[in-house]
Amino acid sequence: MPNTLRSTMKKSRDISNRLIIKESNGLNDKLFWNESLQSWIVIDETLAKKVLTSSYFTTDRKRKLIETMSSSASNKEVLSNFYSNWLMYMDGERHLSLRKDLQRAMRNADSQEEMLSSKVIKEILQNVNLSDKDIDVVKEISVPFTNKFLSQLFGLSVDDYKQILQTSMEAVKFLWQTNPSEEEIDLTVESIKQTENLIVRIIKENRYEDDRLFSCMLKDIDTSSLLTAIINMVIDGHEPFLSSVSSVIERYLRYPEESVSRMITNSLKYSPPFSYCARSVFRPIRMENKDLNVGDRIMIILYSLSDMSKDGDKTIGCPHANLSFGHGSHYCLGAQITTKALKAFIKEIDLLFRERSVSVTKIEFNTSFGFQSIDFLHIKVS
């Protein structure tokens, strides 16, 4: 069975890029239709930014799916109430209003990202045995750092933070499902209900610290959006942050001479946590001599945008394309937190490793339809 872009996006970044080169007429077509994804594909940075800021496109892609899916009215109501308050799928004034509320909560929170990041990674590194023949960086450094840093950022216990992640797993999966089965819908609805109940218990039992992000959200977010907003902030940031932590370590091991700021920029650019971002056509528009109709899907495959620019039949790094945090009104709320945390994080990593010889003994990248990550990064230190 021949490879399609849909199938290769689930397993191989390199094969996906080769297919994109072929289907885009050697990268000459900035916009092309892909049958397997039932979507227009953008491979040009300027065009991508236009899509992400134009009123001709909408992020509200789940509403139509929920309305047309075969499920009970009660299930549809739970899904509609939940995902209509999810920032990724909101547009217009409601989106801007909730975004401003979240930004106010983040400003009011006593985050001190760099200081917190430095404190947490120092604690984590104390438990890493450098005499081990094989150090599992993801398991011993990235995961515990992410859990501890983000839980303290929110002002939650690590156990409560991890429980929210575990309980909401099916709700997260639904974000990437284009044609969910009845069983998947039931699991998603149950996940939403259990996660909301967990948040309510945490609030009622005062299991959070004052002046941290969780408590500030309680003060600044309207009650109609509160539970979804909290879940959104906790779970939508976890996997991307974890991926960014592992990627910046991998970048450091390959290019230790890079400045910290450039290292962070390049790791996010060439190893974006999300594989793509997408929109739906809201109003008919003609782009690149092609007619896009209402309801058409349009995708920006982020790693391809970063990987490729034309240089004969080779692909090279495109120096300006870096949309890992998005663009326009949907620019990632956690971008500043992430970059500040990674800055302090990598400085502590450098203090530990700069006078030592470090070699990578095993590395495995994971490409799924929605995410990019490093599953295994094993090193030997001498």
Side-chain angles (χ1 to χ4, degrees), residues 179-366:
N179 187 26
S181 66
E182 187 174 341
E183 180 183 7
E184 287 170 334
I185 293 170
D186 289 341
L187 288 171
T188 301
V189 170
E190 186 61 27
S191 174
I192 291 170
K193 290 179 178 178
Q194 288 186 10
T195 309
E196 289 180 342
N197 289 337
L198 174 58
I199 299 291
V200 169
R201 290 198 304 273
I202 290 172
I203 295 171
K204 285 184 176 180
E205 296 170 12
N206 294 313
R207 287 157 36 193
Y208 56 87
E209 295 179 36
D210 290 334
D211 299 322
R212 294 290 188 174
L213 186 52
F214 189 93
S215 66
C216 289
M217 289 178 70
L218 296 181
K219 300 170 188 173
D220 294 321
I221 308 298
D222 182 81
T223 53
S224 63
S225 306
L226 179 61
L227 291 180
T228 303
I230 289 174
I231 297 169
N232 190 168
M233 290 291 283
V234 172
I235 67 178
D236 213 23
H238 179 83
E239 288 297 333
F241 187 84
L242 173 58
S243 173
S244 300
V245 169
S246 295
S247 294
V248 78
I249 298 176
E250 190 265 343
R251 183 82 188 181
Y252 168 81
L253 294 173
R254 285 196 296 137
Y255 303 104
E257 73 284 354
E258 279 187 330
S259 67
V260 170
S261 60
R262 185 171 179 79
M263 189 179 297
I264 292 169
T265 297
N266 284 335
S267 69
L268 290 167
K269 173 182 173 180
Y270 293 109
S271 302
F274 291 108
S275 300
Y276 70 91
C277 55
R279 298 289 186 268
S280 293
V281 179
F282 184 64
R283 290 183 287 169
I285 184 172
R286 186 166 178 81
M287 298 178 72
E288 297 295 313
N289 297 315
K290 298 175 177 70
D291 292 316
L292 281 64
N293 300 312
V294 172
D296 281 359
R297 182 179 174 84
I298 188 164
M299 297 175 64
I300 301 156
I301 302 177
L302 296 172
Y303 53 75
S304 295
L305 195 66
S306 292
D307 284 348
M308 298 190 297
S309 64
K310 191 173 181 183
D311 180 24
D313 57 0
K314 297 179 181 179
T315 58
I316 60 171
C318 183
H320 303 297
N322 187 4
L323 299 176
S324 297
F325 287 126
H327 184 70
S329 63
H330 279 265
Y331 187 77
C332 176
L333 280 172
Q336 188 175 28
I337 290 174
T338 299
T339 52
K340 284 185 175 182
L342 291 179
K343 181 179 178 181
F345 172 87
I346 208 64
K347 285 181 177 179
E348 296 299 330
I349 292 291
D350 181 53
L351 285 174
L352 181 67
F353 290 147
R354 70 167 61 153
E355 302 298 332
R356 293 178 167 90
S357 174
V358 183
S359 58
V360 176
T361 58
K362 178 182 180 181
I363 184 167
E364 287 185 14
F365 295 90
N366 178 28

Side-chain angles (χ1 to χ4, degrees), residues 26 36 48 50 52 73 131 159 163 173 189 206 263 299 321 361:
S36 69
K50 181 178 180 180
L52 294 176
S131 63
D159 287 342
Q163 186 62 42
K173 287 181 182 178
V189 170
N206 294 313
M263 189 179 297
M299 297 175 64
T361 58

